[in-house]
Amino acid sequence: MKLYLPRSHKTENLGSVPVKAPDQPQQPIPGTVLVVEDEPIVRMVIVEALREHGATVLEAEDGNEASTILNSPVAIDLLVTDVGLPGITGQRVAEIARSLRPDLKVMFLTGYTCNAVLDKELLAPHTHDF
C-alpha cells in the first residue's frame, strides 16, 4: 500500500495537534460481515477493526471461499470485498451474493482508483463510489 500526501516546505514547528474526542460514542456494528480480501495483512486489519466495533466477522481469502460461505445458511448482513481478487473477482462475488441474497449490502474495496477497476455498467443499481 502506498499513501501519497502533499509535501510541505514550511519550516516552522506546528507542535502537537490536539485530538478531539467524538461527541457521541461510536455505535457498535450489528450483524455479520463477510470480508473477502486476498492480502492477509489487509484482511487482518479490516477484520480486527470490524470486531473492535462489535461486528461478527467471517473471512474469505478469495472468491471461491466467499462463494462457499454465501451458499451456506449463515446469516450475512454486509459483504466487504476487494475488487481485484485472483480468480473470481470481487465484482463476480457481489453478483453471486446478490443472486443468492438480493437484499445484501455490498462494499467494494480497492487500492486502485475507482475508474481503473470498477465497470459502472457491471455494478448493481444504486452503487456509489466515495
PDB file of all heavy atoms in Angstrom, residues 13-26:
ATOM      1  N   ASN A  13       7.662  24.992  13.417  1.00  0.00           N
ATOM      2  CA  ASN A  13       7.199  23.870  14.226  1.00  0.00           C
ATOM      3  C   ASN A  13       5.720  24.062  14.509  1.00  0.00           C
ATOM      4  O   ASN A  13       5.318  25.045  15.105  1.00  0.00           O
ATOM      5  CB  ASN A  13       8.005  23.800  15.527  1.00  0.00           C
ATOM      6  CG  ASN A  13       7.602  22.611  16.375  1.00  0.00           C
ATOM      7  OD1 ASN A  13       6.710  21.846  16.010  1.00  0.00           O
ATOM      8  ND2 ASN A  13       8.261  22.456  17.502  1.00  0.00           N
ATOM      9  N   LEU A  14       4.907  23.126  14.071  1.00  0.00           N
ATOM     10  CA  LEU A  14       3.474  23.231  14.285  1.00  0.00           C
ATOM     11  C   LEU A  14       3.056  22.690  15.641  1.00  0.00           C
ATOM     12  O   LEU A  14       1.918  22.871  16.046  1.00  0.00           O
ATOM     13  CB  LEU A  14       2.724  22.487  13.171  1.00  0.00           C
ATOM     14  CG  LEU A  14       2.964  23.024  11.763  1.00  0.00           C
ATOM     15  CD1 LEU A  14       2.237  22.152  10.753  1.00  0.00           C
ATOM     16  CD2 LEU A  14       2.514  24.466  11.644  1.00  0.00           C
ATOM     17  N   GLY A  15       3.956  22.046  16.339  1.00  0.00           N
ATOM     18  CA  GLY A  15       3.616  21.485  17.639  1.00  0.00           C
ATOM     19  C   GLY A  15       2.660  20.320  17.503  1.00  0.00           C
ATOM     20  O   GLY A  15       2.423  19.805  16.425  1.00  0.00           O
ATOM     21  N   SER A  16       2.116  19.922  18.608  1.00  0.00           N
ATOM     22  CA  SER A  16       1.179  18.812  18.565  1.00  0.00           C
ATOM     23  C   SER A  16      -0.222  19.320  18.282  1.00  0.00           C
ATOM     24  O   SER A  16      -0.586  20.433  18.657  1.00  0.00           O
ATOM     25  CB  SER A  16       1.205  18.031  19.879  1.00  0.00           C
ATOM     26  OG  SER A  16       0.773  18.874  20.918  1.00  0.00           O
ATOM     27  N   VAL A  17      -0.977  18.530  17.591  1.00  0.00           N
ATOM     28  CA  VAL A  17      -2.354  18.875  17.259  1.00  0.00           C
ATOM     29  C   VAL A  17      -3.264  18.154  18.230  1.00  0.00           C
ATOM     30  O   VAL A  17      -3.209  16.929  18.348  1.00  0.00           O
ATOM     31  CB  VAL A  17      -2.690  18.447  15.806  1.00  0.00           C
ATOM     32  CG1 VAL A  17      -4.133  18.754  15.472  1.00  0.00           C
ATOM     33  CG2 VAL A  17      -1.738  19.119  14.831  1.00  0.00           C
ATOM     34  N   PRO A  18      -4.111  18.895  18.964  1.00  0.00           N
ATOM     35  CA  PRO A  18      -4.999  18.216  19.918  1.00  0.00           C
ATOM     36  C   PRO A  18      -6.029  17.370  19.179  1.00  0.00           C
ATOM     37  O   PRO A  18      -6.549  17.758  18.140  1.00  0.00           O
ATOM     38  CB  PRO A  18      -5.672  19.367  20.667  1.00  0.00           C
ATOM     39  CG  PRO A  18      -5.531  20.554  19.778  1.00  0.00           C
ATOM     40  CD  PRO A  18      -4.299  20.334  18.949  1.00  0.00           C
ATOM     41  N   VAL A  19      -6.288  16.211  19.705  1.00  0.00           N
ATOM     42  CA  VAL A  19      -7.274  15.310  19.124  1.00  0.00           C
ATOM     43  C   VAL A  19      -8.570  15.476  19.897  1.00  0.00           C
ATOM     44  O   VAL A  19      -8.596  15.338  21.115  1.00  0.00           O
ATOM     45  CB  VAL A  19      -6.789  13.846  19.193  1.00  0.00           C
ATOM     46  CG1 VAL A  19      -7.850  12.907  18.662  1.00  0.00           C
ATOM     47  CG2 VAL A  19      -5.486  13.694  18.441  1.00  0.00           C
ATOM     48  N   LYS A  20      -9.632  15.771  19.167  1.00  0.00           N
ATOM     49  CA  LYS A  20     -10.933  15.969  19.797  1.00  0.00           C
ATOM     50  C   LYS A  20     -11.653  14.626  19.891  1.00  0.00           C
ATOM     51  O   LYS A  20     -11.746  13.893  18.909  1.00  0.00           O
ATOM     52  CB  LYS A  20     -11.766  16.946  18.975  1.00  0.00           C
ATOM     53  CG  LYS A  20     -13.111  17.243  19.582  1.00  0.00           C
ATOM     54  CD  LYS A  20     -13.917  18.166  18.686  1.00  0.00           C
ATOM     55  CE  LYS A  20     -15.307  18.303  19.262  1.00  0.00           C
ATOM     56  NZ  LYS A  20     -16.229  18.870  18.310  1.00  0.00           N
ATOM     57  N   ALA A  21     -12.141  14.323  21.062  1.00  0.00           N
ATOM     58  CA  ALA A  21     -12.912  13.088  21.238  1.00  0.00           C
ATOM     59  C   ALA A  21     -14.247  13.233  20.520  1.00  0.00           C
ATOM     60  O   ALA A  21     -14.795  14.332  20.424  1.00  0.00           O
ATOM     61  CB  ALA A  21     -13.149  12.834  22.723  1.00  0.00           C
ATOM     62  N   PRO A  22     -14.780  12.146  19.978  1.00  0.00           N
ATOM     63  CA  PRO A  22     -16.080  12.242  19.320  1.00  0.00           C
ATOM     64  C   PRO A  22     -17.158  12.704  20.298  1.00  0.00           C
ATOM     65  O   PRO A  22     -17.104  12.402  21.483  1.00  0.00           O
ATOM     66  CB  PRO A  22     -16.359  10.822  18.832  1.00  0.00           C
ATOM     67  CG  PRO A  22     -15.318   9.960  19.414  1.00  0.00           C
ATOM     68  CD  PRO A  22     -14.250  10.810  19.994  1.00  0.00           C
ATOM     69  N   ASP A  23     -18.115  13.475  19.759  1.00  0.00           N
ATOM     70  CA  ASP A  23     -19.209  13.976  20.593  1.00  0.00           C
ATOM     71  C   ASP A  23     -20.057  12.843  21.147  1.00  0.00           C
ATOM     72  O   ASP A  23     -20.577  12.924  22.244  1.00  0.00           O
ATOM     73  CB  ASP A  23     -20.091  14.942  19.793  1.00  0.00           C
ATOM     74  CG  ASP A  23     -19.340  16.205  19.412  1.00  0.00           C
ATOM     75  OD1 ASP A  23     -18.386  16.567  20.130  1.00  0.00           O
ATOM     76  OD2 ASP A  23     -19.697  16.819  18.397  1.00  0.00           O
ATOM     77  N   GLN A  24     -20.233  11.807  20.347  1.00  0.00           N
ATOM     78  CA  GLN A  24     -21.042  10.669  20.776  1.00  0.00           C
ATOM     79  C   GLN A  24     -20.193   9.411  20.691  1.00  0.00           C
ATOM     80  O   GLN A  24     -19.349   9.279  19.814  1.00  0.00           O
ATOM     81  CB  GLN A  24     -22.257  10.501  19.870  1.00  0.00           C
ATOM     82  CG  GLN A  24     -23.183  11.679  19.866  1.00  0.00           C
ATOM     83  CD  GLN A  24     -24.310  11.482  18.862  1.00  0.00           C
ATOM     84  OE1 GLN A  24     -24.303  10.543  18.089  1.00  0.00           O
ATOM     85  NE2 GLN A  24     -25.276  12.373  18.890  1.00  0.00           N
ATOM     86  N   PRO A  25     -20.406   8.481  21.585  1.00  0.00           N
ATOM     87  CA  PRO A  25     -19.670   7.227  21.477  1.00  0.00           C
ATOM     88  C   PRO A  25     -20.061   6.513  20.191  1.00  0.00           C
ATOM     89  O   PRO A  25     -21.189   6.627  19.717  1.00  0.00           O
ATOM     90  CB  PRO A  25     -20.106   6.429  22.711  1.00  0.00           C
ATOM     91  CG  PRO A  25     -21.341   7.096  23.208  1.00  0.00           C
ATOM     92  CD  PRO A  25     -21.334   8.500  22.695  1.00  0.00           C
ATOM     93  N   GLN A  26     -19.106   5.798  19.605  1.00  0.00           N
ATOM     94  CA  GLN A  26     -19.399   5.076  18.370  1.00  0.00           C
ATOM     95  C   GLN A  26     -20.365   3.941  18.643  1.00  0.00           C
ATOM     96  O   GLN A  26     -20.256   3.244  19.650  1.00  0.00           O
ATOM     97  CB  GLN A  26     -18.108   4.536  17.764  1.00  0.00           C
ATOM     98  CG  GLN A  26     -17.229   5.641  17.254  1.00  0.00           C
ATOM     99  CD  GLN A  26     -16.186   5.113  16.297  1.00  0.00           C
ATOM    100  OE1 GLN A  26     -16.118   3.940  16.012  1.00  0.00           O
ATOM    101  NE2 GLN A  26     -15.369   6.013  15.796  1.00  0.00           N
TER     102      GLN A  26
END
